[in-house]
Amino acid sequence: FNMKNIALLGATGSIGMNTVAVVTAYPELFQIESLTFHSNSEKGADLIKMLKPKYVGVGTEQMKKEFTTRFPEIEFGVGEEGLIKAATLESVDVVLTAVTGSVGLNPTLAAIKAKKDIALANKETLVMAGQWVMEEARKNEVRILPVDSEHSAIFQCLYGQKSDNLKELVITASGGSFRDLTREELKTVTLEEALNHPNWSMGRKITVDSSTMMNKGLEVIEAHWLFGTDYDKIKVVLHKESIVHSMIVLKDGAYLAQLGPSDMREPIQYALTYPNRLPIQDEKAFDLTEISQLNFKPMDFERFPMLELAYIVGEKGGAFPTVYNAANEIAANAFIDGKISYLQIEEFVQKAIWNYTETKEVTLEEVIAIDKQTRTIVERWIKEEGLL
Ligand code: NDP
Ligand code: MG
């Protein structure tokens, strides 16, 4: 196992900090060559002191100025340019994309073109432009290694399997913060309640996405691109314990599952050590006899329309998943900012999809334009109709 030089995009976030925990446990194996953060200067400064990267991407020119004075030995960059430079640094072997949202796309594409392997947490990138990301990866012979726990589980189960043995993928869903509420009860839920995920501690946007089941919808599309699996062979089951992280079903009916505690360090580390494994420091307690029961239930598309919509936009292809993702990014963040009610997230995502009718083949440039356009439209709706 060779020493790996890592670019960590989104170092101050939930995945970012879990990655820092993995990396600092094995200083002889991992080195953070570059990192980025957006607004959290305090955490960012701590990480710079601890990890001593060569290059750091920050959110604003002002931050760059301040940090250059504080850390004159380090080079700083701003915004997308900073993300791209961090991801393409000559000495970097693997880029861990832990930024949230579609800002991940251009740095990921640039990294692939620079022949860096990608450890991908930023699922929005694959939903927005999966076809082009995977095409570039094939062309440049780089690996896209999943960090998302469900996809890591599937990736682990697929290890050593011939691809024609596979019958289907089964993604598990915890159900998020509101899994036991009816649609009527969803009308009055608050941000605070949405952010209270039963099993995982994560960033705000993905926690809201988990409660709307948008996160699972994004994951279905992510799985389609990562594993090249048709949508009718990707199933989702409700599994409230989050112990089985996902499963594969083989031709002969055998199920292979990956189980473990809810600890993102495991999939992060596997993406960095694949196909090798290392112990995890201060492992979380995990005792199946104490858990004693694992429950599985079918997903209710009427209760969770965002999941059904993922299959619809996925099958339609083209820029439909792009619209689905962009509308949700704007709407979920507007809910987090108190500008719209909870159910308006779904409403605006649905409306954006109805509003988009084009079905012809699209280019990457068109997809990026459609992403922008969708954001503008949904922002306008939020101004006009938010919290009505
Ligand atoms: P967080 O919100 O915790 O962290 C986001 C990171 O991205 C922070 O470092 C933040 O910087 C940075 N960032 C935010 N906005 C921008 C921007 N406009 N430009 C550049 N950087 C930005 O998110 P998570 O860690 O929870 O999630 C990250 C990604 O991983 C998401 O795509 C999510 O879906 C995925 N994921 C997360 C899981 C989890 O357990 N958290 C599990 C599976 C997937 P700053 O804080 O300095 O502003
Ligand atoms: Mg996941």
Side-chain angles (χ1 to χ4, degrees):
F1 185 78
N2 287 331
M3 165 109 183
K4 278 215 172 114
N5 289 326
I6 299 164
L8 179 53
L9 311 185
T12 46
S14 160
I15 292 286
M17 293 304 285
N18 274 301
T19 306
V20 170
V22 166
V23 166
T24 51
Y26 292 101
E28 70 288 5
L29 295 179
F30 304 120
Q31 161 72 27
I32 299 284
E33 284 291 283
S34 58
L35 61 85
T36 77
F37 54 94
H38 187 60
S39 61
N40 195 338
S41 291
E42 202 178 316
K43 225 188 226 178
D46 290 345
L47 289 177
I48 292 172
K49 283 182 217 153
M50 177 165 63
L51 302 165
K52 302 188 171 57
K54 288 191 184 125
Y55 184 90
V56 174
V58 295
T60 63
E61 288 292 343
Q62 183 60 31
M63 284 164 82
K64 176 179 166 176
K65 227 190 246 163
E66 283 167 23
F67 272 90
T68 308
T69 318
R70 273 176 83 182
F71 303 98
E73 70 287 3
I74 295 171
E75 193 189 336
F76 290 89
V78 180
E80 181 163 278
E81 208 184 303
L83 284 161
I84 290 175
K85 181 82 189 278
T88 55
L89 220 59
E90 176 76 42
S91 54
V92 162
D93 303 309
V94 53
V95 179
L96 202 140
T97 62
V99 293
T100 183
S102 59
V103 287
L105 178 65
N106 285 333
T108 304
L109 284 172
I112 295 171
K113 285 178 188 156
K115 308 227 183 285
K116 315 292 187 192
D117 283 335
I118 308 293
L120 183 122
N122 177 230
K123 64 192 88 182
E124 293 93 338
T125 283
L126 273 193
V127 176
M128 179 185 173
Q131 185 189 330
W132 295 274
V133 173
M134 296 314 288
E135 238 170 61
E136 277 303 329
R138 269 190 296 274
K139 241 196 280 173
N140 290 285
E141 295 177 358
V142 306
R143 288 196 180 111
I144 311 285
L145 299 146
V147 168
D148 210 348
S149 59
E150 294 78 1
H151 305 74
S152 176
I154 290 167
F155 185 60
Q156 294 182 45
C157 293
L158 285 172
Y159 187 71
Q161 286 298 334
K162 288 189 184 143
S163 61
D164 71 343
N165 282 346
L166 184 69
K167 188 171 152 204
E168 58 190 34
L169 309 179
V170 182
I171 297 177
T172 53
S174 70
S177 317
F178 300 140
R179 66 181 171 213
D180 300 321
L181 301 192
T182 63
R183 289 201 61 81
E184 187 56 34
E185 288 167 323
L186 289 178
K187 283 182 182 160
T188 52
V189 295
T190 64
L191 174 64
E192 201 192 351
E193 290 164 337
L195 292 180
N196 189 18
H197 195 286
N199 307 350
W200 296 92
S201 154
M202 310 181 284
R204 287 153 83 93
K205 189 218 167 223
I206 184 175
T207 306
V208 170
D209 285 354
S210 297
S211 74
T212 56
M213 213 46 74
M214 187 71 195
N215 182 51
K216 217 43 64 178
L218 298 173
E219 290 183 353
V220 166
I221 300 170
E222 181 186 14
H224 168 77
W225 290 117
L226 274 176
F227 306 113
T229 310
D230 292 341
Y231 285 103
D232 62 354
K233 299 205 167 97
I234 305 174
K235 303 280 151 67
V236 178
V237 296
L238 195 65
H239 168 51
K240 67 177 183 195
E241 289 87 3
S242 293
I243 295 296
V244 174
H245 296 314
S246 279
M247 305 173 246
I248 65 172
V249 189
L250 301 176
K251 257 204 273 209
D252 57 4
Y255 275 66
L256 303 188
Q258 190 258 352
L259 289 72
S262 308
D263 184 346
M264 285 309 293
R265 291 178 303 167
E266 196 277 326
I268 291 168
Q269 185 173 285
Y270 189 67
L272 297 175
T273 61
Y274 164 85
N276 303 302
R277 293 191 185 250
L278 290 169
I280 298 239
Q281 251 180 17
D282 307 316
E283 255 178 296
K284 278 197 183 173
F286 186 68
D287 182 348
L288 280 175
T289 63
E290 234 165 69
I291 297 156
S292 97
Q293 273 196 38
L294 298 176
N295 289 277
F296 300 94
K297 283 191 182 152
M299 290 302 305
D300 178 349
F301 278 176
E302 268 166 44
R303 170 62 183 79
F304 296 114
M306 291 299 99
L307 181 59
E308 182 177 32
L309 201 51
Y311 286 96
I312 295 170
V313 298
E315 290 283 6
K316 276 182 178 285
F320 275 94
T322 315
V323 173
Y324 173 76
N325 176 64
N328 177 63
E329 247 181 82
I330 297 298
N333 285 320
F335 171 68
I336 290 170
D337 295 339
K339 291 180 188 158
I340 63 173
S341 70
Y342 184 74
L343 283 177
Q344 280 182 310
I345 304 173
E346 292 179 355
E347 205 180 292
F348 288 137
V349 173
Q350 281 163 334
K351 212 165 129 172
I353 305 285
W354 295 330
N355 192 61
Y356 180 73
T357 48
E358 198 67 77
T359 50
K360 72 171 174 64
E361 288 278 305
V362 282
T363 63
L364 178 59
E365 289 66 35
E366 284 166 338
V367 152
I368 291 170
I370 291 163
D371 172 82
K372 279 218 180 74
Q373 223 177 327
T374 306
R375 284 162 199 274
T376 311
I377 295 169
V378 176
E379 269 161 8
R380 199 186 68 220
W381 291 340
I382 288 168
K383 271 209 193 100
E384 290 168 359
E385 301 165 40
L387 287 178
L388 283 187

